[in-house]
Every structure is written in structure tokens, then in C-alpha cells.
Amino acid sequence: MTLRNFLKLYEEGFATTISIDLLPYDEEKNEYKKSYFSEVKKEELEEYEIYKAIKNKQVHHFSVDGGGIYPVELCIYLSSSEE
């Protein structure tokens, strides 16, 4: 599923921020291949030019962090083009 279509599922979702990273994760460097967004407000995401460039990339998986007294963050991990 593309990032754009995936985010349509969460238009009415509970997450207040979104982070988007490109796989794979480099264990030695302790970072993803590329981090596009980190805790950006979901209402602002489509305003960024980089979103327009990555909106058709495939979502590999996602997770939801936070809750309770912490803000809820939707973390999205995109497939690398080499996969």
C-alpha cells in the first residue's frame, strides 16, 4: 500500500504526530537509511515538498507509540526501492 493510501486510513485517527523512515535500519550506525519526518503534526504533512516526493512509496510496516499521558505518534516505515 502506498504512503498516501495508508494515511487516508488514518485521517480520523488518534495519532497527533507522524514519523516516517526509510528501511533498512543500520544496526552499526543506529539509524534508518533515511528519516523523512520526525514527530510532524499530521495536519501539516501534506504541505511539505518531501511528502509529495515520497507519497507513492510502499509502506512496509507501522507502529503506534505513546498514549496515556504521552502524545500518540504514528511511526511509518517505508520499503527501500532495493527490496
Side-chain angles (χ1 to χ4, degrees), residues 13-54:
F14 49 85
T16 57
T17 61
I18 295 176
S19 293
I20 302 174
D21 297 303
L22 180 65
L23 295 173
Y25 185 80
D26 187 328
E27 297 285 339
E28 290 179 18
K29 294 181 181 178
N30 199 28
E31 63 185 24
Y32 288 94
K33 183 174 183 177
K34 181 162 179 81
S35 291
Y36 294 108
F37 295 100
S38 180
E39 297 183 18
V40 67
K41 292 182 181 180
K42 69 179 183 178
E43 300 84 26
E44 300 172 356
L45 188 64
E46 293 182 10
E47 297 174 14
Y48 292 95
E49 288 297 317
I50 191 69
Y51 172 77
K52 295 172 186 172
I54 65 170

